[in-house]
Amino acid sequence: MNTTSASTASALRMPAFYIPHGAGPCFFMDWNPADAWDKTAGFLRSIPGSLPAPPKAILLVTAHWLAPEVTLTGAAQPGMLFDYYGFPPHTYELRYPAPGAPALAERVRGLLAGAHIASSVDAERGYDHGTFIPLKVAFPDADVPVLQVSLLGSLDAGAHVNYGRALAPLRDEGVLIIGSGMSYHNMRGYGDPRSTPISAEFDRWLTDTVGLPAQERNDRLSHWDTASGPAGRLSHPARAEEHLLPLHVVAGAAGEGSGRKVFSDEVMRTVISAFRFD
């Protein structure tokens, strides 16, 4: 690639995001307080306008899908998977009819195979709420093809950074990579004022870590459970860190790109944030 084409590719390279997807179908129902999720929704709506070009496809790593190996949706038109419970009836009638991305699934499998990472395709699985809830806010027209991707059931932090690295070339192919989770996700801590300083301390650690050079950033993320101090495990209990690990995939996919916090709010007495990698 010559200098001109390299600079053009860099200018059009898609960023990668780690986003908070909220609590269940929170953006589409009454909440107490009523404005609890307004700032998060506003951030999600701002994503398309922050991109260098409209994405050709979205690859979304969801916290709500664990599999023995990296698994990809394969349907041309995935259905809906309402994997939340006890919410108002109308939230089980939500629809997100974005087309699937079978060709992208095969491209991703090739990249993973090149990195000696096993993968498979699930042709039956639909969009879970880690996917359709935030995308219904950010891309409401549902006109961008979506490939939903699992986490690894091992919950191995370093393995998620590694599989993210294999995805990095997609950013120069018009693919927007999104990790969908929550930077704080201790179900027992929500609503408890004692969680505010804990979540804020972990948020500071995440913010500092994401801003480091790529190698140091990824090393720290790979050992987040010990490197972040007590606040890390209090924010993401052992064997329940699935809402954090989409960040690891996104950080790996960032390559040598820089990362920074682009959104933060306090919801349900906890600090939640979003991060962008360029």
Side-chain angles (χ1 to χ4, degrees), residues 102-120:
L104 177 59
E106 289 308 306
R107 168 68 172 141
V108 170
R109 292 198 73 193
L111 291 171
L112 293 169
H116 308 289
I117 296 171
S119 68
S120 59

Side-chain angles (χ1 to χ4, degrees), residues 90-232:
H90 77 271
T91 65
Y92 297 90
E93 298 175 2
L94 296 170
R95 293 293 178 263
Y96 194 71
L104 177 59
E106 289 308 306
R107 168 68 172 141
V108 170
R109 292 198 73 193
L111 291 171
L112 293 169
H116 308 289
I117 296 171
S119 68
S120 59
V121 170
D122 185 333
E124 303 299 323
R125 189 177 176 92
Y127 297 137
D128 65 46
H129 82 272
T131 299
F132 74 81
I133 290 296
L135 291 187
K136 193 170 176 65
V137 178
F139 295 88
D141 293 337
D143 55 357
V144 181
V146 176
L147 178 66
Q148 181 176 268
V149 185
S150 79
L151 296 173
L152 296 167
S154 68
L155 301 178
D156 182 289
H160 286 87
V161 173
N162 287 338
Y163 108 59
R165 285 192 184 102
L167 306 180
L170 299 174
R171 297 176 56 220
D172 287 324
E173 300 172 14
V175 178
L176 175 62
I177 298 174
I178 297 176
S180 174
M182 292 286 281
S183 58
Y184 177 94
H185 197 258
N186 183 338
M187 299 301 291
R188 294 184 176 183
Y190 287 128
D192 187 335
R194 293 174 296 181
S195 300
T196 308
I198 292 168
S199 61
E201 181 180 345
F202 185 58
D203 188 79
R204 285 190 293 271
W205 184 87
L206 281 179
T207 303
D208 291 345
T209 297
V210 164
L212 293 170
Q215 183 63 56
E216 188 176 357
R217 172 188 76 214
N218 293 342
D219 285 347
R220 280 174 55 126
L221 286 174
S222 295
H223 301 92
W224 72 273
D225 51 342
T226 54
S228 60

Side-chain angles (χ1 to χ4, degrees), residues 16-18 203 206-207 210 247 260-262 273-277:
F17 286 90
Y18 171 72
D203 188 79
L206 281 179
T207 303
V210 164
L247 171 61
R260 68 189 190 280
K261 181 162 67 179
V262 290
S273 292
F275 300 91
R276 171 176 172 144
F277 298 83

Side-chain angles (χ1 to χ4, degrees), residues 66-82:
L66 300 178
E69 60 189 10
V70 181
T71 309
L72 323 167
T73 49
Q77 188 63 63
M80 304 293 289
L81 178 57
F82 294 104

